Amino acid sequence: MSWTRNGETRSYHHGNLREALMQATLDLIAEKGIAGVTFAEAARRAGVSAAAPYRHFRDRDELIAAVATAGFDRFAEVLKASWQEGRPSPAAAYERMGRAYLDFARQHAAHYIAMFESGVPLEAHEELQLAGSRAFAVLREAAEVLVAHMPVAGRPPALMVALHTWSLAHGVASLFCRADGARRKLPMTPDELLEAGFLVYLKGLGAPSD
Amino acid sequence: MSWTRNGETRSYHHGNLREALMQATLDLIAEKGIAGVTFAEAARRAGVSAAAPYRHFRDRDELIAAVATAGFDRFAEVLKASWQEGRPSPAAAYERMGRAYLDFARQHAAHYIAMFESGVPLEAHEELQLAGSRAFAVLREAAEVLVAHMPVAGRPPALMVALHTWSLAHGVASLFCRADGARRKLPMTPDELLEAGFLVYLKGLGAPSD
DNA sequence: TGTACATCAGTGAACGCGCGTTCACTGATGTAC
DNA sequence: TGTACATCAGTGAACGCGCGTTCACTGATGTAC
């Protein structure tokens, strides 16, 4: 048996409910913020009954964790793609990655919120924790290459550089790149702010400027 | 008429309900996160009926905004106190202020969440916006002094320095200083990470190291 | 290729619960005289 | 200093609503033979 709903034909079995619920969650975050995410509303938007989500997620936290996990996977891909193996130079590629970071925060604001501001405990969701680590690993590997191109004397630890980069980028993203009303005003673009910060920081490290 | 409740005597009129509701909100944030804040529960903890909060706050957002506003005021005081007019040197005082920033994020985690992760729109609450600006002004004034002690040639804009500082400190605080389960693991203390970042950054600016 | 059957994914009705919100009310406080 | 009265801050009962959650169920799918 099958019938139409919202102009689309679908059978008794949704077939793709898990993904539909995750998409609904992203829409809800974008529209109402993380507090606007409920099982009932996500089910409604996916066109199924309120009990259906329980076949795929234990509770709201698990749904949000799944969305955050997918976000981290996508984030890792975006960062990796922007790094381009450090071409044409590690410093140039690193800055490009910084812009990609902010682009992600802007274009996938709902994912970014699920990843960093959802309040879902990391320990309780191993998949999420691993996905987060994989994304950070991209940043860290880039920092390794960046650092390897510096003079041996006074070469900084790559992990530290990666953590500083992450902190600065996250700070800029979460203060100045939000889509909601909590965004702070800025007399320049967030990209300019982050890039300028990177340049100063790299100079402080004694890095070749390109 | 007066009677006892929870071992304390209080009259029909609470006398300090506004503050009691704000304190209850802080406790709720600390215990359950921002999503755990409800009018009903705050009233319950303050020992009044569910209708009482309406005499002081229009809705939940206004309550949270009031808490965030008070948080920014306190934050500004803390930063100002740590800056100590830039003694003994602007660089040393600036770093001390960075530690004070992280201390605040840790010791007043609930305030910090209300200030930066509550999802309350800034535009809708002018008092909140002003309090936020006042806090940032402390940071900015410190940056002015710091910059003024640098060689005129290549002296960076103080506003930019302040924004970089804020971004880095907020990034470290929000990634690594949280009290909830969303805190990331770190192979050093957040203070060390932030201080090292400052030092590199200041060096990149060409600042005197003390 | 067809049939029987197990399994799976979604239904819809039901329930309790807590929250937001309104309302007429009432006890306490402050002030004018 | 005492009294009358206006104002204020809290009460408690009531209501609707949406959410979370459970349950026996049923339609669809896949697989063994």
Side-chain angles (χ1 to χ4, degrees):
Chain A
M1 180 183 171
S2 72
W3 61 89
T4 49
R5 166 152 22 196
N6 297 335
E8 289 179 16
T9 316
R10 93 164 178 49
S11 78
Y12 185 93
H13 286 185
H14 185 288
N16 208 21
L17 183 53
R18 187 184 160 87
E19 276 66 35
L21 289 169
M22 290 170 70
Q23 183 57 51
T25 300
L26 286 170
D27 295 345
L28 282 170
I29 293 174
E31 284 170 37
K32 314 190 194 176
I34 195 77
V37 179
T38 63
F39 249 37
E41 180 67 20
R44 202 171 298 128
R45 296 200 174 198
V48 294
S49 77
Y54 288 87
R55 301 284 173 198
H56 298 273
F57 302 100
R58 188 154 41 85
D59 54 20
R60 197 193 91 118
D61 263 22
E62 201 171 288
L63 169 59
I64 292 177
V67 168
T69 301
F72 272 118
D73 287 343
R74 195 160 186 173
F75 190 45
E77 282 169 28
V78 164
L79 292 182
K80 198 156 209 161
S82 73
W83 168 242
Q84 285 179 28
E85 312 291 338
R87 282 185 298 264
S89 74
Y94 207 72
E95 276 161 33
R96 194 174 52 222
M97 196 167 65
R99 285 193 299 277
Y101 189 115
L102 297 189
D103 274 346
F104 182 90
R106 270 185 298 249
Q107 287 172 23
H108 306 281
H111 264 132
Y112 200 82
I113 288 173
M115 289 152 66
F116 291 109
E117 298 178 19
S118 65
V120 171
L122 289 172
E123 309 100 36
H125 302 273
E126 200 186 3
E127 264 306 305
L128 172 56
Q129 214 165 358
L130 291 173
S133 300
R134 284 195 299 271
F136 178 66
V138 175
L139 219 166
R140 180 170 177 175
E141 280 157 30
E144 300 274 6
V145 175
L146 183 75
V147 161
H149 280 244
M150 294 181 188
V152 177
R155 184 181 286 177
L159 174 58
M160 185 197 77
V161 172
L163 288 169
H164 284 150
T165 305
W166 191 18
S167 298
L168 185 61
H170 176 67
V172 170
S174 103
L175 291 173
F176 307 114
C177 288
R178 342 183 32 100
D180 59 24
R183 181 175 58 233
R184 264 76 182 175
K185 297 243 177 65
L186 201 62
M188 64 198 82
T189 69
D191 298 81
E192 285 165 356
L193 182 67
L194 180 59
E195 181 167 358
F198 268 176
L199 288 175
V200 172
Y201 180 80
L202 291 181
K203 191 167 162 228
L205 287 177
S209 68
D210 106 319
Chain B
M1 179 184 172
S2 72
W3 63 89
T4 49
R5 168 154 18 199
N6 297 335
E8 287 179 17
T9 318
R10 93 164 177 49
S11 78
Y12 186 93
H13 285 184
H14 186 288
N16 208 21
L17 184 52
R18 188 184 159 87
E19 277 64 35
L21 289 169
M22 289 170 69
Q23 183 56 52
T25 301
L26 286 170
D27 295 344
L28 282 170
I29 293 174
E31 285 171 36
K32 312 190 195 175
I34 195 76
V37 178
T38 64
F39 248 37
E41 180 66 21
R44 202 171 300 129
R45 297 200 175 198
V48 295
S49 76
Y54 289 87
R55 300 283 173 198
H56 299 273
F57 303 99
R58 187 153 42 82
D59 53 20
R60 197 192 90 118
D61 263 22
E62 202 172 286
L63 170 58
I64 293 178
V67 168
T69 301
F72 272 118
D73 287 342
R74 194 161 188 173
F75 190 44
E77 281 168 30
V78 164
L79 292 182
K80 198 158 209 161
S82 73
W83 169 242
Q84 286 180 26
E85 311 291 336
R87 281 187 297 265
S89 73
Y94 207 72
E95 276 160 33
R96 192 175 51 222
M97 196 168 64
R99 284 193 298 276
Y101 190 113
L102 297 189
D103 274 346
F104 182 91
R106 270 185 298 249
Q107 287 172 25
H108 306 282
H111 265 133
Y112 200 83
I113 288 174
M115 290 153 65
F116 291 109
E117 297 178 19
S118 66
V120 171
L122 290 173
E123 310 101 34
H125 303 272
E126 201 187 1
E127 264 307 304
L128 172 57
Q129 214 165 357
L130 291 174
S133 299
R134 284 195 298 272
F136 178 65
V138 176
L139 219 165
R140 181 170 176 174
E141 280 156 31
E144 301 272 6
V145 175
L146 183 75
V147 161
H149 281 244
M150 295 181 187
V152 177
R155 184 181 286 177
L159 174 58
M160 184 195 77
V161 171
L163 288 169
H164 284 150
T165 305
W166 191 18
S167 298
L168 185 61
H170 176 67
V172 171
S174 104
L175 290 173
F176 307 114
C177 288
R178 342 180 35 99
D180 58 23
R183 180 177 59 234
R184 264 76 183 175
K185 298 242 177 66
L186 200 61
M188 63 198 83
T189 70
D191 298 79
E192 286 164 356
L193 182 67
L194 180 59
E195 180 165 0
F198 268 176
L199 288 175
V200 173
Y201 180 80
L202 291 180
K203 191 166 164 228
L205 286 177
S209 67
D210 111 316

